[in-house]
């Protein structure tokens, strides 16, 4: 594989401008001091309780995500381009969803094949013809971005269901500011702290028509055993809204109420972090104890807004992903600003043949997988693994897509043997309300801590970094 | 506030209070059992400790004898005893996590760091007396820190009042249970009143509710059983007395009643118990039987717990 684009060092010894001050600071700072702060950061994370759970891991039910103290830095100019591209992409996602659940122009225009929608388990027929306030489906999007050179931003994946990680963006910044005040004094870093405020106003702006002037918003969590529970409680706290579980809610006359010590109280907007499948046992999985029986009928009656809407999975599905550039063009009549990773659709015989011939060089992903599970990274896999995967692929080609192995960009990262480049990605969080789409400057940078590894998922040994957008 | 949040706050406070009480009981029992047998008589103090903790029956399903090793293990570290100190701390942490938004960061930090610290104790146990003493002190200090954080940092609203109610209800239960197990040594008609044997029993009772010094300040007297009973039952200047707990419970319930604009059965029931305590004196109580009085109180107190749950927490 080619040498990856490094976001700090230009081959030949020069530095990219955004990193110049950091490089100077690193030179002045002894490695012990860095190590000491790193340990301090870990202690803080543990004390605050910023942990996540790994399912099926009996060793320890709560784990810390490793935090790397070296910030990842982008110039204001780079950010401006990315921001524009993200807004464009999310607008298109929302328009696509509106269309899929109403007129279906895009299917008639034969841009996206019918069966990819109608035979897709994440398509929700319950949403057909359902009005959602201001036609916003994806109120919170997490768009995973990678770079391979200084020019382009590439979308690796759209997350339009219940994207997580924003608490790390906020906490990483808090901790960095606490540990490295001197480093902040030497940079003008755009703040991220207004995210909770923007999220709350976005959520309030999409309240159902019948709601009062001060709509009541609640965050619905699956509960303390969920892997992202810390984030749920963190956000509820920052937004000043109730953190509710399914059992706290009841439906009466198609309205949603929470049980409080003073009787029941009506809710207008639910920021839900429970997946579609579990949200209402009467409509979806009947064995779900996390949801609220009858929630979907209240939703259908227009008495509650769910953020994100039900059925958004059809927009971020990996099978749909490869059509995104066309989707952007179809609805907006604009060239997509963000690129897609070239994708072979294994459902198409020509693509499948190519993929089978080149398994050793490709990344093959399950269309419905997530978290970095169930995927094949050709160049890193053993022969046996590749052969096993080949059989799987032949049996069920429509379940897979394939992409070239990208040489993800690298950033300097603390390792056992000093600073070294490690691969990173970026998840910015895009908020859409009734009037506008906003993005706080930054996002969650995930870093693959193992040398050469391309897997940044926290469940598989990835860590995080603070992401700085310089305000020039 | 959410009923579930109120419920969690209430139980969180109860668990912390219970952990402290267990630590005190073990502490006091260690002290009294360290005395030569002639000073404490033939009663098995470890058995009493189990009884005051209300876990004697489940203990004997697992152990043959109530000795120091077994009882300390069961009350402190056992994962199978639902009200061991360990399980109280685990439950307190779990409850804290569920209601993080209703806790101040100081309260969360107290519980979370205690929980982190104690992981090692759970895995290694305490091999020496010194370790055990350190552990018991740490549990008590955690409770003090938690209580202090709540007092100093929480908004004075329903979240605070529900949490306080948990403390007082649990505390009243604990004090009553000690009296229930030990009432016989408090009976004035026992012939060996004032003998060395009872003296150590009495001081042990006072120690387990941290009232030994208080006794001397209040009565300026040598230890006398009826005064000890008076202190623990009726004296509302002692924070762990039944009277004081009920003064507080009535106050907290009234505050909630005012904030919510209505009263209910919980307020009435609590007031009833408080009034009975206010209008009692030790003569009457001894006349009618301390044991009966205490047993009735324990029933009434847990009834209040049920009423509160029904009125607010579900």
């Amino acid at each position: 594989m080619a040498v990856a684009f490094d976001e700090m060092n230009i081959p030949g010894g020069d530095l990219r401008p955004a990193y110049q001050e950091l490089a100077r600071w690193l030179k002045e700072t002894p490695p012990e001091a860095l190590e000491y702060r790193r340990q301090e950061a870990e202690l803080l994370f543990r004390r605050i309780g910023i942990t996540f759970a790994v399912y099926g891991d009996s060793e320890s039910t709560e784990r810390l995500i490793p935090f790397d103290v070296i910030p990842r830095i982008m110039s204001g100019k780079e950010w401006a381009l990315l921001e524009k591209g993200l807004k464009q992409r999310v607008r298109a996602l929302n328009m696509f969803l509106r269309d899929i659940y109403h007129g279906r122009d895009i299917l008639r225009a034969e841009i996206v094949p019918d069966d990819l929608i109608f035979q897709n388990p994440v398509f929700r027929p319950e949403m057909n013809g359902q009005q959602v306030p201001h036609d916003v489906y994806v109120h919170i999007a997490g768009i995973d971005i990678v770079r391979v050179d200084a020019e382009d931003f590439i979308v690796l994946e759209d997350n339009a269901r219940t994207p997580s990680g924003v608490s790390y963006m906020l906490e990483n910044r808090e901790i960095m500011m606490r540990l490295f005040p001197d480093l902040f004094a030497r940079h003008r870093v755009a703040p991220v702290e207004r995210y909770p405020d923007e999220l709350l106003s976005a959520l309030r702006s999409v309240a159902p028509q019948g709601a009062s002037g001060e709509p009541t918003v609640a965050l619905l969590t699956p509960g303390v055993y969920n892997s992202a529970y810390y984030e749920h409680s963190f956000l509820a706290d920052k937004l000043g809204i109730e953190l509710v579980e399914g059992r706290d809610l009841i439906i009466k006359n198609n309205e949603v109420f929470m049980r409080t010590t003073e009787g029941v109280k009506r809710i207008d907007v639910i920021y839900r972090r429970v997946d579609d499948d579990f949200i209402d046992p009467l409509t979806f999985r009947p064995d779900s104890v996390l949801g609220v029986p009858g929630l979907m009928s209240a939703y259908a009656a227009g008495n509650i807004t769910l953020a994100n809407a039900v059925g958004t999975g059809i927009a971020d599905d990996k099978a749909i992903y490869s059509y995104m550039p066309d989707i952007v063009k179809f609805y907006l009549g604009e060239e997509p600003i963000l690129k897609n990773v070239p994708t072979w659709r294994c459902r198409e015989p020509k693509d499948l043949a190519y993929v089978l011939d080149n398994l050793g060089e490709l990344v093959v992903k399950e269309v419905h997988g997530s978290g970095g599970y169930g995927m094949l990274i050709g160049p890193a896999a053993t022969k046996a693994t590749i052969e096993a995967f080949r059989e799987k692929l032949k049996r069920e080609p429509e379940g897979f897509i394939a992409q070239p192995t990208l040489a993800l960009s690298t950033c300097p990262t603390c390792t056992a043997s000093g600073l070294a480049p490690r691969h990173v990605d970026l998840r910015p969080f895009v908020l859409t309300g009734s009037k506008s789409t906003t993005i706080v400057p930054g996002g969650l940078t995930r870093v693959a801590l193992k040398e050469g590894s391309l897997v940044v998922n926290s469940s598989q040994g990835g860590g995080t970094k603070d992401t700085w957008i310089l305000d020039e | 506030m959410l009923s579930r949040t109120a419920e969690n706050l209430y139980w969180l406070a109860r668990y912390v209070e219970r952990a402290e009480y267990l630590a005190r009981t073990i502490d006091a029992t260690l002290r009294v059992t360290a005395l030569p047998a002639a000073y404490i008589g033939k009663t098995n103090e470890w058995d009493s400790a189990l009884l005051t903790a209300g876990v004697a029956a489940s203990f004997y399903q697992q152990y043959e004898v109530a000795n120091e090793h077994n009882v300390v293990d069961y009350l402190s570290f056992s994962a199978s005893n639902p009200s061991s100190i360990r399980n109280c701390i685990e439950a307190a942490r779990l409850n804290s996590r569920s209601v993080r938004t209703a806790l101040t960061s100081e309260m969360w930090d107290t519980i979370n760091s205690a929980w982190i610290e104690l992981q090692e104790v759970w895995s290694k146990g305490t091999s020496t007396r010194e370790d055990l003493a350190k552990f018991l002190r740490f549990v008590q200090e955690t409770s003090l820190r938690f209580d202090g954080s709540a007092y100093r940092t929480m908004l004075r609203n329903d979240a605070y009042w529900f949490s306080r109610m948990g403390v007082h209800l649990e505390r009243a239960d604990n004090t009553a249970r000690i009296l229930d197990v030990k009432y016989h040594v408090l009976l004035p008609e026992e012939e060996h009143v004032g003998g060395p044997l009872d003296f150590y029993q009495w001081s042990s009772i006072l120690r387990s509710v941290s009232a030994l010094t208080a006794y001397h300040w209040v009565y300026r007297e040598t230890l006398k059983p009826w005064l000890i009973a008076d202190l623990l039952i009726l004296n509302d200047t002692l924070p762990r007395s039944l009277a004081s707990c009920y003064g507080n419970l009535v106050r907290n319930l009234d505050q909630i009643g005012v904030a919510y604009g209505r009263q209910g059965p919980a307020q009435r029931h609590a007031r009833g118990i408080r009034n009975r305590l206010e209008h009692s004196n030790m003569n009457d109580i001894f006349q009618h039987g301390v044991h009966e009085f205490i047993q009735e109180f324990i029933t009434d107190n847990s009834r209040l717990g049920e009423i509160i749950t029904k009125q607010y927490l579900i």
Side-chain angles (χ1 to χ4, degrees), chain A residues 46-49 51 62 224-225 229-230 233 236-237 242-245 247-248 258-262, chain B residues 1-4 6 93-94 97-101 108-109 112-113 115-116 145 158 162 260 262 312:
Chain A
R46 208 172 273 288
R47 276 192 89 112
I48 304 173
T51 56
E62 285 174 43
V224 319
Y225 297 108
Y229 178 76
Y230 170 74
S233 68
D237 203 18
E242 291 288 356
L243 178 64
V244 298
E245 295 179 18
R247 57 189 159 129
D248 297 322
M258 55 184 170
R259 292 178 223 267
T260 79
T261 49
E262 293 174 82
Chain B
M1 78 192 300
L2 281 182
S3 298
R4 184 173 51 83
R93 165 100 182 341
L94 188 64
R97 241 164 82 76
S98 325
V99 292
R100 271 194 72 143
T101 52
W108 162 255
D109 191 42
N112 191 45
S113 15
W115 179 81
I116 292 169
R145 215 184 127 196
D158 44 359
F162 279 114
Y260 292 175
R262 58 170 173 253
Y312 295 113

Side-chain angles (χ1 to χ4, degrees), chain B residues 63-130:
Chain B
Y63 298 91
E64 300 264 302
V65 263
N67 54 26
E68 176 182 327
H69 177 270
N70 292 349
V71 175
V72 167
D73 186 61
Y74 193 65
L75 293 185
S76 304
F77 310 121
S78 168
S80 63
N81 169 12
S83 39
S84 66
I85 294 178
R86 174 182 185 160
N87 277 328
C88 284
I89 300 283
E90 288 288 339
R93 165 100 182 341
L94 188 64
N95 279 35
S96 302
R97 241 164 82 76
S98 325
V99 292
R100 271 194 72 143
T101 52
L103 297 183
T104 63
S105 57
E106 286 83 357
M107 293 165 79
W108 162 255
D109 191 42
T110 302
I111 296 296
N112 191 45
S113 15
W115 179 81
I116 292 169
E117 194 110 340
L118 288 172
Q119 294 307 309
E120 203 175 327
V121 179
W122 307 150
S123 63
K124 290 199 191 128
T126 52
S127 46
T128 63
R129 263 295 176 94
E130 210 169 304

Side-chain angles (χ1 to χ4, degrees), chain B residues 25-37 39-40 43-47 49 66-68 72 129 200 204:
Chain B
T25 302
I26 296 171
D27 224 7
T29 311
L30 283 169
R31 254 189 112 103
V32 79
T33 52
L35 293 168
Y39 291 83
I40 50 166
T43 52
N44 180 349
E45 289 303 309
W46 289 110
D47 222 8
N67 54 26
E68 176 182 327
V72 167
R129 263 295 176 94
Y200 291 104
S204 176

Side-chain angles (χ1 to χ4, degrees), chain B residues 53-277:
Chain B
V55 295
S58 60
F59 174 86
Y60 283 111
Q61 288 174 1
Q62 284 183 46
Y63 298 91
E64 300 264 302
V65 263
N67 54 26
E68 176 182 327
H69 177 270
N70 292 349
V71 175
V72 167
D73 186 61
Y74 193 65
L75 293 185
S76 304
F77 310 121
S78 168
S80 63
N81 169 12
S83 39
S84 66
I85 294 178
R86 174 182 185 160
N87 277 328
C88 284
I89 300 283
E90 288 288 339
R93 165 100 182 341
L94 188 64
N95 279 35
S96 302
R97 241 164 82 76
S98 325
V99 292
R100 271 194 72 143
T101 52
L103 297 183
T104 63
S105 57
E106 286 83 357
M107 293 165 79
W108 162 255
D109 191 42
T110 302
I111 296 296
N112 191 45
S113 15
W115 179 81
I116 292 169
E117 194 110 340
L118 288 172
Q119 294 307 309
E120 203 175 327
V121 179
W122 307 150
S123 63
K124 290 199 191 128
T126 52
S127 46
T128 63
R129 263 295 176 94
E130 210 169 304
D131 278 354
L132 178 60
K134 222 163 98 189
F135 162 72
L136 295 172
R137 203 160 49 238
F138 180 76
V139 173
Q140 293 172 51
E141 279 164 6
T142 297
S143 164
L144 288 174
R145 215 184 127 196
F146 181 75
D147 220 38
S149 307
Y151 179 72
R152 299 180 70 122
T153 60
M154 277 185 98
L155 290 174
R156 291 321 192 245
N157 58 16
D158 44 359
Y160 182 70
W161 300 321
F162 279 114
S163 154
R164 298 317 290 170
M165 272 159 44
V167 173
H168 297 304
L169 205 92
E170 181 67 28
R171 196 175 274 177
D173 185 61
N174 292 336
T175 301
R177 276 180 197 282
I178 283 213
L179 287 166
D180 190 36
V181 174
K182 295 284 188 178
Y183 80 96
H184 55 93
V185 297
L186 295 175
L187 294 178
E189 57 266 42
E190 293 277 316
E191 37 200 57
H192 47 270
V193 172
L197 194 143
D198 281 352
F199 176 85
Y200 291 104
Q201 288 278 3
W202 298 334
S203 58
S204 176
I205 296 173
L206 288 171
R207 230 185 272 281
S208 56
V209 293
S210 62
L212 186 54
T213 313
Y215 176 91
H216 294 297
W217 277 101
V218 172
Y219 300 103
R220 312 226 170 247
E221 269 267 24
T222 52
L223 297 188
K224 300 222 163 66
W226 55 91
L227 290 183
I228 293 175
D230 179 64
L231 181 66
L232 298 189
I233 299 173
L234 298 180
N235 192 311
D236 66 5
T237 61
L238 181 83
R240 280 172 204 279
S241 72
L242 306 186
S244 163
C245 290
Y246 265 81
N248 283 314
L249 278 166
V250 167
R251 194 165 324 122
N252 296 147
L253 279 163
D254 279 346
Q255 283 161 321
I256 288 174
V258 169
Y260 292 175
R262 58 170 173 253
Q263 307 248 332
Q267 279 80 4
R268 284 194 292 280
H269 187 76
R271 226 173 284 133
I273 301 177
R274 191 213 38 201
N275 291 346
R276 208 167 329 130
L277 287 165

